[in-house]
């Protein structure tokens, strides 16, 4: 009993309360959580992806390793791990977009707030740049040996961080290669985030992402490096330009970086989502299912979504 003659149970029920901001930092952190979720998610993607690129390729040089550490399948698995774990890191906070194409498609077709799109894009780009910088800091001595001299930097090792097409491919083919990869990615992402299409349980969505990226890499990876994510290519490309690779990383094949990994990915992703919504999706979030004039007169509408935080599939701890 206290001086108010309240038992501990009564005191707690009357005076204890929940606050989202137990201290000053919690209040500062709140508006940063979604952006930092995207930064960390993409950073994880790039750490595993460019890290396995460096390990497999650089270990083939004498003086770096006694034998090559991995093969092409290792690269596929490394990128798949990065993609799935990146979604796991950011899924419950930001929705686990980790890709500007995903963010744009959710804004176009699922009602994701347009005001958040620039924030997500900048966060994804920064996360990719940061992840690539950390991998470069870890492997730059091995890069010196592989290149044949301290500070020597060529596109041969720049390709460990960003994508560069096979020499035999014409420009239209490189565009289509990235278009096709992004088409597959977004088609599956929209399918697994559709409540009425047998989505996986929330905890298994990263596993689906692992299988998806592994499959894309194994089937379509070697010609253009399957960027299928503008931030995944542009962030590391900016990093390589800053650490000594120079303007060649942007001048390669007449600004290849713009019209293949960026425009090809956006076009492929948007096309996939448009096709999915035309033929499969029945929720009212998509403009494809906007009620006609006759339906509006009767106050009729399509069903609302039951899972707005695609593609990660985790239940959000806040309202978008």
């Amino acid at each position: 009993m206290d001086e108010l003659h309240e038992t501990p149970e009564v005191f707690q029920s009357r005076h204890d309360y929940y606050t989202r901001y137990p201290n000053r930092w919690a209040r500062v952190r709140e508006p940063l959580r979604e952006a930092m979720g995207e930064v960390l998610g993409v950073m994880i993607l790039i750490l595993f992806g460019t890290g396995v690129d460096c390990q497999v390729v650089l270990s083939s040089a004498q003086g770096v390793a006694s034998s090559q550490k991995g093969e092409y399948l290792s690269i596929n698995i490394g990128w798949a791990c990065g993609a799935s774990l990146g979604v796991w890191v950011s899924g419950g906070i930001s929705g686990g977009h980790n890709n500007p194409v995903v963010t744009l498609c959710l804004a176009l077709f699922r009602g994701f707030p347009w005001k958040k799109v620039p924030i997500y894009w900048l966060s994804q780009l920064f996360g990719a740049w940061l992840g690539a910088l950390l991998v470069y800091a870890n492997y730059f001595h091995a890069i010196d040996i592989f290149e044949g001299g301290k500070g020597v930097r060529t596109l041969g090792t720049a390709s460990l961080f960003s994508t560069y097409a096979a020499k035999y491919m014409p420009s239209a083919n490189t565009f289509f290669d990235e278009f096709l990869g992004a088409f597959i990615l977004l088609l599956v992402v929209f399918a697994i985030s559709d409540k009425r299409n047998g989505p996986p349980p929330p905890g298994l969505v990263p596993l689906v992402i692992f299988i998806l990226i592994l499959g894309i890499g194994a089937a379509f990876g070697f010609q253009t490096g399957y960027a299928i994510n503008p931030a995944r290519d542009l962030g590391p490309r900016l990093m390589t330009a800053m650490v000594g690779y120079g303007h060649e990383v942007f001048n390669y094949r007449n600004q290849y970086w713009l019209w293949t990994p960026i425009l090809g990915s956006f076009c492929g992703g948007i096309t996939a989502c448009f096709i999915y919504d035309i033929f499969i999706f029945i929720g009212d979030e998509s403009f494809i299912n906007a009620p006609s004039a006759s339906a509006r007169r009767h106050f009729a509408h399509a069903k609302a979504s039951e899972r707005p935080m695609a593609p990660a599939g985790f239940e959000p701890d806040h309202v978008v």
Side-chain angles (χ1 to χ4, degrees):
M1 292 283 187
D2 58 14
E3 64 267 13
L4 298 178
H5 306 292
E6 295 176 330
T7 64
E9 293 78 10
V10 171
F11 180 89
Q12 183 174 8
S13 66
R14 291 180 177 177
H15 302 286
D16 191 23
Y17 65 95
Y18 164 79
T19 175
R20 195 176 184 89
Y21 309 115
N23 53 46
R24 183 174 298 179
W25 172 243
R27 189 174 296 276
V28 172
R29 176 181 59 203
E30 182 63 24
L32 303 176
R33 293 179 75 235
E34 286 187 344
M36 284 307 301
E38 290 296 298
V39 169
L40 296 177
V42 179
M43 184 189 74
I44 289 294
L45 165 66
I46 300 301
L47 282 173
F48 277 87
T50 60
V52 72
D53 286 349
C54 287
Q55 176 166 287
V56 172
V57 175
L58 298 177
S59 64
S60 65
Q62 290 185 351
V64 175
S66 58
S67 61
Q68 189 169 15
K69 309 303 180 184
E71 53 192 16
Y72 184 67
L73 181 58
S74 306
I75 294 175
N76 296 153
I77 293 173
W79 279 105
C81 286
S84 61
L85 295 176
V87 168
W88 215 327
V89 166
S90 60
I93 307 303
S94 65
H97 298 191
N98 296 348
N99 186 335
V101 180
V102 173
T103 301
L104 179 62
C105 288
L106 291 178
L108 284 171
F109 297 96
R110 293 294 181 271
F112 184 75
W114 281 99
K115 66 180 181 180
K116 292 185 178 183
V117 171
I119 298 171
Y120 271 53
W121 281 4
L122 290 174
S123 300
Q124 291 155 358
L125 182 63
F126 176 68
W129 176 87
L130 180 60
L133 183 64
L134 292 173
V135 172
Y136 179 80
N138 190 60
Y139 281 108
F140 78 94
H141 291 298
I143 292 174
D144 286 341
I145 297 172
F146 187 90
E147 291 278 25
K150 187 175 182 180
V152 177
R153 296 293 181 265
T154 66
L155 294 184
T157 56
S159 63
L160 300 174
F161 300 95
S162 296
T163 62
Y164 296 84
K167 293 180 180 180
Y168 65 83
M169 297 183 72
S171 298
N173 194 191
T174 62
F175 175 89
F176 180 73
D177 194 281
E178 286 297 315
F179 177 98
L180 183 60
F183 180 93
I184 297 169
L185 173 67
L186 267 295
L187 188 67
V188 175
V189 164
F190 264 42
I192 66 174
S193 60
D194 184 352
K195 185 69 173 180
R196 300 167 195 88
N197 194 16
L204 293 183
V205 170
L207 176 61
V208 177
I209 298 299
F210 176 90
I211 296 170
L212 173 59
I213 300 302
L214 178 62
I216 292 174
F220 303 102
F222 87 98
Q223 293 194 121
T224 61
Y226 68 116
I228 58 177
N229 181 335
R232 170 265 176 274
D233 185 84
L234 182 56
R237 198 175 296 270
L238 288 168
M239 186 281 298
T240 53
M242 295 169 64
V243 299
Y245 288 88
H247 57 83
E248 284 301 315
V249 299
F250 288 103
N251 292 342
Y252 171 79
R253 292 186 66 162
N254 297 316
Q255 285 70 52
Y256 164 92
W257 65 274
L258 175 62
W259 48 265
T260 294
I262 293 181
L263 295 181
S265 296
F266 275 120
C267 291
I270 292 171
T271 302
C273 298
F274 187 70
I275 290 175
Y276 187 85
D277 279 16
I278 285 178
F279 295 106
I280 304 295
F281 189 67
I282 60 174
D284 66 353
E285 304 89 328
S286 176
F287 67 88
I288 301 296
N289 297 322
S292 64
S294 175
R296 289 196 299 271
R297 283 196 299 269
H298 294 85
F299 302 101
H301 57 84
K303 289 185 177 181
S305 171
E306 299 177 41
R307 182 176 291 181
M309 287 296 288
F314 293 96
E315 292 297 330
D317 65 353
H318 62 285
V319 178
V320 177

